mmCIF file of all heavy atoms in Angstrom:
data_model
loop_
_atom_site.group_PDB
_atom_site.id
_atom_site.type_symbol
_atom_site.label_atom_id
_atom_site.label_comp_id
_atom_site.label_asym_id
_atom_site.label_seq_id
_atom_site.Cartn_x
_atom_site.Cartn_y
_atom_site.Cartn_z
ATOM 1 N N PRO T 199 23.681 229.774 97.236
ATOM 2 C CA PRO T 199 24.700 230.795 97.010
ATOM 3 C C PRO T 199 25.658 230.866 98.198
ATOM 4 O O PRO T 199 25.249 230.691 99.356
ATOM 5 C CB PRO T 199 23.882 232.086 96.895
ATOM 6 C CG PRO T 199 22.658 231.823 97.703
ATOM 7 C CD PRO T 199 22.356 230.356 97.548
ATOM 8 N N ILE T 200 26.923 231.098 97.910
ATOM 9 C CA ILE T 200 27.920 231.330 98.955
ATOM 10 C C ILE T 200 28.712 232.576 98.585
ATOM 11 O O ILE T 200 28.649 233.050 97.442
ATOM 12 C CB ILE T 200 28.884 230.130 99.135
ATOM 13 C CG1 ILE T 200 29.681 229.862 97.849
ATOM 14 C CG2 ILE T 200 28.127 228.888 99.585
ATOM 15 C CD1 ILE T 200 30.777 228.802 98.014
ATOM 16 N N SER T 201 29.432 233.114 99.541
ATOM 17 C CA SER T 201 30.373 234.192 99.257
ATOM 18 C C SER T 201 31.763 233.728 99.672
ATOM 19 O O SER T 201 31.918 233.110 100.733
ATOM 20 C CB SER T 201 29.992 235.470 100.010
ATOM 21 O OG SER T 201 30.008 235.247 101.409
ATOM 22 N N VAL T 202 32.749 233.958 98.819
ATOM 23 C CA VAL T 202 34.130 233.603 99.148
ATOM 24 C C VAL T 202 34.829 234.887 99.570
ATOM 25 O O VAL T 202 35.116 235.750 98.745
ATOM 26 C CB VAL T 202 34.842 232.931 97.958
ATOM 27 C CG1 VAL T 202 36.282 232.580 98.336
ATOM 28 C CG2 VAL T 202 34.086 231.680 97.525
ATOM 29 N N GLU T 203 35.061 235.015 100.861
ATOM 30 C CA GLU T 203 35.653 236.221 101.427
ATOM 31 C C GLU T 203 36.935 235.859 102.173
ATOM 32 O O GLU T 203 36.946 234.906 102.964
ATOM 33 C CB GLU T 203 34.665 236.899 102.379
ATOM 34 C CG GLU T 203 33.330 237.255 101.725
ATOM 35 C CD GLU T 203 32.311 237.765 102.724
ATOM 36 O OE1 GLU T 203 32.676 238.664 103.521
ATOM 37 O OE2 GLU T 203 31.167 237.274 102.714
ATOM 38 N N ARG T 204 37.990 236.638 101.897
ATOM 39 C CA ARG T 204 39.306 236.328 102.475
ATOM 40 C C ARG T 204 39.662 234.866 102.228
ATOM 41 O O ARG T 204 40.230 234.182 103.072
ATOM 42 C CB ARG T 204 39.345 236.641 103.964
ATOM 43 C CG ARG T 204 39.095 238.113 104.303
ATOM 44 C CD ARG T 204 39.233 238.357 105.788
ATOM 45 N NE ARG T 204 38.748 239.690 106.145
ATOM 46 C CZ ARG T 204 38.656 240.146 107.385
ATOM 47 N NH1 ARG T 204 39.012 239.355 108.396
ATOM 48 N NH2 ARG T 204 38.205 241.360 107.630
ATOM 49 N N ASN T 205 39.242 234.393 101.050
ATOM 50 C CA ASN T 205 39.584 233.048 100.572
ATOM 51 C C ASN T 205 38.911 231.918 101.352
ATOM 52 O O ASN T 205 39.383 230.785 101.345
ATOM 53 C CB ASN T 205 41.107 232.845 100.573
ATOM 54 C CG ASN T 205 41.806 233.865 99.710
ATOM 55 O OD1 ASN T 205 41.255 234.346 98.724
ATOM 56 N ND2 ASN T 205 43.030 234.217 100.079
ATOM 57 N N LYS T 206 37.759 232.230 101.990
ATOM 58 C CA LYS T 206 37.002 231.213 102.719
ATOM 59 C C LYS T 206 35.524 231.326 102.348
ATOM 60 O O LYS T 206 35.031 232.432 102.117
ATOM 61 C CB LYS T 206 37.178 231.388 104.235
ATOM 62 C CG LYS T 206 38.622 231.308 104.689
ATOM 63 C CD LYS T 206 38.765 231.793 106.116
ATOM 64 C CE LYS T 206 40.231 231.975 106.485
ATOM 65 N NZ LYS T 206 40.398 232.558 107.834
ATOM 66 N N PRO T 207 34.797 230.191 102.314
ATOM 67 C CA PRO T 207 33.391 230.215 101.872
ATOM 68 C C PRO T 207 32.404 230.455 103.021
ATOM 69 O O PRO T 207 32.525 229.861 104.100
ATOM 70 C CB PRO T 207 33.199 228.808 101.293
ATOM 71 C CG PRO T 207 34.118 227.955 102.123
ATOM 72 C CD PRO T 207 35.293 228.814 102.489
ATOM 73 N N TYR T 208 31.409 231.302 102.754
ATOM 74 C CA TYR T 208 30.381 231.611 103.752
ATOM 75 C C TYR T 208 29.000 231.385 103.161
ATOM 76 O O TYR T 208 28.784 231.590 101.968
ATOM 77 C CB TYR T 208 30.513 233.059 104.237
ATOM 78 C CG TYR T 208 31.801 233.322 104.972
ATOM 79 C CD1 TYR T 208 32.975 233.634 104.280
ATOM 80 C CD2 TYR T 208 31.858 233.222 106.360
ATOM 81 C CE1 TYR T 208 34.167 233.843 104.952
ATOM 82 C CE2 TYR T 208 33.045 233.432 107.044
ATOM 83 C CZ TYR T 208 34.199 233.745 106.333
ATOM 84 O OH TYR T 208 35.373 233.944 107.008
ATOM 85 N N VAL T 209 28.080 230.976 104.036
ATOM 86 C CA VAL T 209 26.709 230.724 103.613
ATOM 87 C C VAL T 209 25.753 231.312 104.650
ATOM 88 O O VAL T 209 26.100 231.414 105.841
ATOM 89 C CB VAL T 209 26.464 229.192 103.460
ATOM 90 C CG1 VAL T 209 26.500 228.496 104.811
ATOM 91 C CG2 VAL T 209 25.159 228.906 102.730
ATOM 92 N N PHE T 210 24.568 231.725 104.189
ATOM 93 C CA PHE T 210 23.532 232.145 105.132
ATOM 94 C C PHE T 210 22.639 230.947 105.431
ATOM 95 O O PHE T 210 22.127 230.286 104.519
ATOM 96 C CB PHE T 210 22.716 233.306 104.568
ATOM 97 C CG PHE T 210 23.368 234.643 104.789
ATOM 98 C CD1 PHE T 210 24.233 235.178 103.846
ATOM 99 C CD2 PHE T 210 23.135 235.355 105.961
ATOM 100 C CE1 PHE T 210 24.855 236.405 104.057
ATOM 101 C CE2 PHE T 210 23.739 236.582 106.183
ATOM 102 C CZ PHE T 210 24.606 237.114 105.233
#
Side-chain angles (χ1 to χ4, degrees):
I200 62 173
S201 61
V202 180
E203 303 173 49
R204 299 183 191 175
N205 302 330
K206 301 167 191 175
Y208 295 84
V209 68
F210 276 91

